Amino acid sequence: MALLEIKNITRIFGGLIAVRDLSLDVYEGEILGLIGPNGAGKSTLFNIISGFISPNKGKVLFKGKEITGLRIDQIAQKGIARIFQEPTLFMQETVFENVLSGFHRHYRQPFWKAFLHTPAANREEALKKENALEILDFMGLTYMSNELAANLPHGHQRALAVAIALATGPELLLLDEPVTGMNPTETMDMVEKIKQIRKRGITVLIVEHDMKAVMSLCDRIVVLSLGVKIAEDMPSAIRKDEQVIEAYLGKQVI
């Protein structure tokens, strides 16, 4: 059974059909790429999965249970985290404080115990700080842990956004253009980090326009055009698909 199932999703904005009768599956442990030209429906689909909007038709299932129409926080609680095109950070907080905020949904001790600094609350807080430091180390941000998020270069802000998402303990990570605006070295580093994230047992669904990154990362690729799925296959087949080349890839070298 698929980890995430998209079943016959349609979303209409006014007279525009952004996504039309779309179905796809994301399997546990894979990295699935979602590509297509601007206006293909990729961001709309991400918004539906993560609860920002609801479909006009169809449903979304996660681990076999329907999550269509649930609130954003309810979907996050179920184990789905999303990274946006523009990093959503607490800019006037430190890198460490940003990552620590990601553990919010895991706190078991009630607020009043944390306020009173009971032994149980203190132990839990210490564990979260230890886990936050581990994630910072994993993302290569340890040396910037006391820096304000606002002062980070673009590539490091993207890495911090991923670190916060990891702190939520996701089973499925939605990455919306994670290497956009990065230089080649930063892109290569992020690609390697995403591969390592998969090794941590996290399934990845990624939207990205950098085709070299997509082709090197993904086990399978789904191609959208005008809200319709026009292809779904392994990268080696997608790069040779005439319909995909005509609709999106063109003659670019990938």
Side-chain angles (χ1 to χ4, degrees):
M1 184 175 66
L3 181 68
L4 180 75
E5 300 169 78
I6 307 299
K7 292 185 175 293
N8 307 110
I9 289 291
T10 293
R11 175 66 199 198
I12 303 171
F13 297 100
L16 173 67
I17 302 177
V19 177
R20 184 196 300 268
D21 197 31
L22 177 63
S23 296
L24 63 88
D25 293 331
V26 183
Y27 296 99
E28 185 174 354
E30 76 171 338
I31 301 176
L32 178 66
L34 188 64
I35 68 172
N38 291 331
K42 306 182 300 296
S43 292
T44 298
L45 181 60
F46 263 32
N47 285 335
I48 290 171
I49 296 169
S50 53
F52 283 83
I53 59 176
S54 295
N56 296 97
K57 189 188 79 170
K59 57 186 178 180
V60 180
L61 285 80
F62 183 62
K63 297 195 293 187
K65 296 183 179 180
E66 186 169 359
I67 61 171
T68 321
L70 293 184
R71 297 192 312 268
I72 297 167
D73 62 303
Q74 291 174 322
I75 290 174
Q77 285 281 348
K78 290 186 178 297
I80 299 177
R82 177 181 178 182
I83 308 301
F84 293 84
Q85 292 180 21
E86 293 298 325
T88 52
L89 309 173
F90 297 107
M91 290 298 184
Q92 296 309 310
E93 301 285 345
T94 67
V95 168
F96 177 74
E97 289 167 339
N98 267 270
V99 176
L100 199 60
S101 72
F103 288 101
H104 175 74
R105 80 178 184 94
H106 294 291
Y107 279 92
R108 300 184 181 278
Q109 297 299 317
F111 171 77
W112 67 268
K113 287 191 176 182
F115 182 75
L116 294 174
H117 299 287
T118 65
N122 288 341
R123 286 194 297 271
E124 183 174 50
E125 185 69 17
L127 179 60
K128 298 309 180 214
K129 288 181 178 179
E130 182 180 329
N131 291 340
L133 290 172
E134 187 278 327
I135 290 173
L136 285 174
D137 182 61
F138 173 75
M139 293 303 300
L141 294 171
T142 301
Y143 73 103
M144 306 185 88
S145 62
N146 293 319
E147 189 68 62
L148 291 181
N151 296 336
L152 299 186
H154 173 76
H156 288 83
Q157 287 190 351
R158 304 290 286 182
L160 177 56
V162 174
I164 295 169
L166 293 178
T168 69
E171 294 180 59
L172 174 64
L173 183 60
L174 310 180
L175 297 177
D176 198 346
E177 300 189 21
V179 304
T180 296
M182 289 186 175
N183 63 42
T185 300
E186 291 172 330
T187 296
M188 184 170 61
D189 287 345
M190 181 60 79
V191 166
E192 289 305 311
K193 280 293 183 291
I194 295 170
K195 290 178 180 178
Q196 292 172 29
I197 286 169
R198 187 243 295 271
K199 291 180 180 179
R200 292 169 77 107
I202 299 171
T203 303
V204 178
L205 177 58
I206 179 172
V207 167
E208 183 52 64
H209 288 289
D210 186 319
M211 286 299 97
K212 290 183 179 179
V214 168
M215 293 294 170
S216 66
L217 264 176
C218 298
D219 303 299
R220 294 187 300 124
I221 295 174
V222 172
V223 187
L224 301 185
S225 180
L226 300 176
V228 176
K229 181 169 69 175
I230 62 171
E232 179 178 356
D233 213 325
M234 294 182 296
S236 58
I238 290 296
R239 60 160 50 98
K240 299 174 184 176
D241 189 299
E242 293 296 330
Q243 189 177 7
V244 175
I245 292 171
E246 181 179 352
Y248 181 53
L249 296 181
K251 296 181 179 180
Q252 62 181 299
V253 177
I254 59 176

